[in-house]
Amino acid sequence: QVQLVESGGGLVQPGGSLRLSCAASGFTFSMYAMSWYRQAPGKEHELVAGISNTGSSTNYADSVKGRFTISRDNVKRTVYLQMNSLKPEDTAVYSCMTWVGRQWWGQGTQVTVSS
């Protein structure tokens, strides 16, 4: 059974940083691309960043380019999202996702950017 468990969310002031982690199990992690999504209240799920299975290719939403960095450690079976220069509009529940036969989602971690 595929399991994705996010951690690292919290309350941070504007301009601050957070590092999210997503620990994966139940599948051959190194064979699959991973993505981070976010959903703010009343808004659609938004793709934040994606990374290929080897980590050699990444992509980002325009709204986070230059501020967020996605990375992965295939030995630790974990994907990360380093978030810098956070803004109030980054406030959302952040979830990791992978496609192994179908979409699998973690439970999400809340990120709140507020002074």
Side-chain angles (χ1 to χ4, degrees):
Q1 180 81 352
V2 173
Q3 281 197 317
L4 302 172
V5 180
E6 300 94 339
S7 61
L11 173 64
V12 63
Q13 292 188 341
S17 298
L18 281 176
R19 188 196 197 202
L20 305 184
S21 300
C22 171
S25 62
F27 65 105
T28 307
F29 182 75
S30 61
M31 291 182 62
Y32 294 90
M34 299 292 298
S35 301
W36 282 98
Y37 280 76
R38 67 186 180 186
Q39 188 169 28
K43 294 192 175 181
E44 300 278 332
H45 259 112
E46 175 190 17
L47 174 63
V48 176
I51 188 166
S52 63
N53 64 312
T54 62
S56 61
S57 178
T58 58
N59 62 280
Y60 297 92
D62 287 343
S63 58
V64 307
K65 278 181 184 175
R67 300 188 298 122
F68 291 11
T69 302
I70 189 171
S71 62
R72 65 189 294 159
D73 185 329
N74 283 350
V75 174
K76 294 183 178 179
R77 304 172 59 86
T78 301
V79 60
Y80 304 97
L81 186 67
Q82 178 67 44
M83 305 187 296
N84 299 329
S85 303
L86 283 161
K87 305 175 180 179
E89 52 263 42
D90 294 318
T91 295
V93 175
Y94 285 72
S95 302
C96 59
M97 188 281 288
T98 192
W99 191 289
V100 182
R102 65 168 179 88
Q103 280 188 325
W104 295 88
W105 295 85
Q107 83 287 352
T109 185
Q110 176 70 47
V111 172
T112 302
V113 185
S114 175
S115 54

